Amino acid sequence: MPQNNALTYSGKTTLISGAAGGIGFALAKEFGELGMNVVIADIDEAALASAKMQLESLNINVLACKLDVTDFSQWQACVEQTIATFGMLHMLVNNAGVGGVPGKIEQADHDIWRWVIDVNLMGVVYGAQAAIPEIKRHGEGGWIVNVASMAGMMGVPYASSYSATKAAVVSMTESWAVELKSHNIQVSALCPAFVKTRIHESMRNKQDKYKSSTKSKEIAPADKDRYKKNFGQAAALVESGIAPELLAKRVVEALNSGQMYIFTHPNYKEVAGYRAVMIDKAFDDAQQSELVKHLIDDDIVSL
């Protein structure tokens, strides 16, 4: 484990999406204070300008890029600006994300689902595609940090679009960690529980192209009351979460010890471990199955 964080990161460059506030801004500040050049990217131009001023006041080298993560061409432009300004790119933090709308799957608005998938999933894919060639190019290695969620480790009722996309981010991280190992690029999935951010207000930045073009199914009054209650509960949980600044320090700590999964809430170990318990039980069942138990001694095919 590196003993001096400043020596590890100083003079290198990080690009962080969704960095005008919350987790993204806290990470920008933390890595900037460790001597990194920081590129903050966000869809909210006013908040982005404010974040840039705050970081500059701390004598952090910062570049601000307007970025809609659902547009690959904007990712390419942001990476090009990064290289033009700082010469090299060493770290990508895919942080931008949205919470969606809680509700029953049979009443889900397709445009909301498309929005959540495009931001939380395709935004990560586009970021990786734009940034990884530049991180590979200089040969010094680097980092990819994909911000997932504890929801990526366990399904959350009435939040299936959010949970599904965050589970996909975890799975992509696992794939890329193997894929990029030979290039000395460390890939990690950040899976926090509740953090004091504005994720429950993410509708404020929903792009016009995701405005519903079809009529949603009628929602019963009782369901409307429950959804309102769910939003209120989510807001309360988010606002009672850990400070983004604490999370940022934990990210650095976990990167320094080479963690692929970065957990910030050890109290969720048993909850997340429930999946592992159920998987073990399912494999035990398969081993006893008269249909498939003969496969137990077959070689495992490495993909």
Side-chain angles (χ1 to χ4, degrees):
M1 179 191 306
Q3 298 300 308
N4 188 325
N5 293 346
L7 291 178
T8 303
Y9 303 103
S10 183
K12 296 180 180 177
T13 301
T14 181
L15 165 56
I16 306 172
S17 67
I23 290 172
F25 179 77
L27 287 169
K29 181 174 179 290
E30 183 69 21
F31 285 118
E33 290 178 340
L34 290 173
M36 293 193 85
N37 304 311
V38 174
V39 182
I40 56 172
D42 204 284
I43 196 170
D44 187 333
E45 291 185 87
L48 187 64
S50 175
K52 182 175 186 289
M53 288 178 61
Q54 291 179 63
L55 294 172
E56 286 176 335
S57 72
L58 298 171
N59 295 317
I60 292 171
N61 295 327
V62 57
L63 168 69
C65 294
K66 184 180 184 300
L67 174 66
D68 175 349
V69 296
T70 70
D71 185 337
F72 182 55
S73 66
Q74 291 190 32
W75 268 111
Q76 291 176 305
C78 193
V79 169
E80 288 171 4
Q81 290 177 58
T82 298
I83 300 306
T85 304
F86 296 119
M88 291 190 288
L89 176 62
H90 301 83
M91 176 188 289
L92 168 68
V93 181
N94 276 310
N95 168 69
V98 295
V101 176
K104 293 180 178 179
I105 183 58
E106 65 267 29
Q107 294 170 332
D109 184 308
H110 294 177
D111 287 316
I112 293 292
W113 262 80
R114 193 170 295 108
W115 172 54
V116 175
I117 290 170
D118 283 355
V119 175
N120 291 1
L121 174 54
M122 294 310 300
V124 175
V125 174
Y126 293 157
Q129 286 188 319
I132 286 172
E134 288 299 331
I135 299 176
K136 284 182 175 180
R137 185 174 60 82
H138 53 66
E140 296 179 5
W143 305 265
I144 306 290
V145 179
N146 297 321
V147 179
S149 166
M150 192 53 63
M153 295 287 171
M154 47 185 267
V156 179
Y158 305 110
S160 53
S161 61
Y162 182 77
S163 299
T165 54
K166 293 305 184 179
V169 169
V170 172
S171 184
M172 289 192 300
T173 298
E174 293 166 341
S175 298
W176 299 345
V178 177
E179 205 174 311
L180 299 174
K181 185 176 180 181
S182 63
H183 298 277
N184 195 29
I185 298 174
Q186 178 180 337
V187 189
S188 303
L190 171 58
C191 300
F194 295 104
V195 183
K196 202 173 295 185
T197 67
R198 297 180 68 189
I199 185 68
H200 56 294
E201 300 175 8
S202 50
M203 291 284 285
R204 73 190 188 279
N205 286 325
K206 185 162 74 74
Q207 302 92 318
D208 288 343
K209 63 184 176 181
Y210 299 107
K211 286 184 177 177
S212 184
S213 56
T214 57
K215 200 171 182 179
S216 298
K217 292 186 178 181
E218 187 63 29
I219 298 175
D223 287 330
K224 288 181 180 178
D225 289 342
R226 190 184 72 248
Y227 297 165
K228 185 176 180 181
K229 181 181 178 182
N230 286 345
F231 267 120
Q233 289 175 336
L237 288 167
V238 169
E239 288 164 6
S240 68
I242 64 171
E245 294 78 12
L246 173 61
L247 175 143
K249 292 186 181 301
R250 170 61 186 145
V251 168
V252 173
E253 179 182 61
L255 290 181
N256 288 343
S257 61
Q259 300 304 306
M260 181 164 66
Y261 309 104
I262 303 176
F263 294 123
T264 58
H265 290 70
N267 52 318
Y268 275 78
K269 181 179 180 180
E270 184 175 344
V271 177
Y274 176 74
R275 174 183 287 178
V277 170
M278 297 307 293
I279 288 173
D280 280 345
K281 287 183 178 180
F283 272 116
D284 289 342
D285 184 71
Q287 288 173 359
Q288 295 168 28
S289 166
E290 294 300 326
L291 297 171
V292 295
K293 67 180 183 181
H294 65 284
L295 298 173
I296 193 168
D297 294 322
D298 280 14
D299 292 336
I300 298 173
V301 178
S302 179
L303 299 177

